[in-house]
Amino acid sequence: MSWIVLIISGVLEAVWATALSRSEGFSRLWPSVIFGVALIASMGGLAYALRTLPVGTAYAVWVGIGAALTVIYAMATGAESFSVVKVLLILGIVACVGGLKLAH
């Protein structure tokens, strides 16, 4: 169960990171609200997962999922340029996150 919660929390990290950029310094209401809700849920899920998972592994997986999804979303929406190098590097992050799960 901890791994499922950790993965969902990683997805929520991408949500709050994206909402933070769209809030324009907390000057826009709905992106700011989404940021706050996603941040609390993401941190709460990470805290729950840390009850049974080692902190180093859990944190690396959480950050890896969030970072990869944030870049993928930004490239898909045109907020960030697409390049083969970026895709390969993101795939490297995903592979490392998978490796940490397998090593646990």
Side-chain angles (χ1 to χ4, degrees):
M1 184 62 153
S2 291
W3 282 104
I4 293 169
V5 171
L6 183 63
I7 290 167
I8 293 168
S9 296
V11 171
L12 287 170
E13 184 193 2
V15 171
W16 68 251
T18 300
L20 179 61
S21 74
R22 295 198 177 190
S23 75
E24 297 176 11
F26 299 117
S27 65
R28 296 181 61 217
L29 177 63
W30 289 113
S32 299
V33 169
I34 292 168
F35 164 78
V37 171
L39 177 69
I40 290 168
S42 180
M43 291 292 177
L46 177 61
Y48 175 84
L50 288 176
R51 294 182 348 180
T52 58
L53 300 175
V55 66
T57 300
Y59 184 70
V61 168
W62 181 75
V63 169
I65 291 169
L69 290 178
T70 301
V71 172
I72 289 167
Y73 181 79
M75 286 191 298
T77 60
E80 187 167 323
S81 64
F82 173 87
S83 77
V84 173
V85 172
K86 285 182 186 178
V87 171
L88 291 173
L89 292 169
I90 293 300
L91 288 174
I93 290 172
V94 171
C96 290
V97 165
L100 284 171
K101 165 64 172 105
L102 292 174
H104 182 265

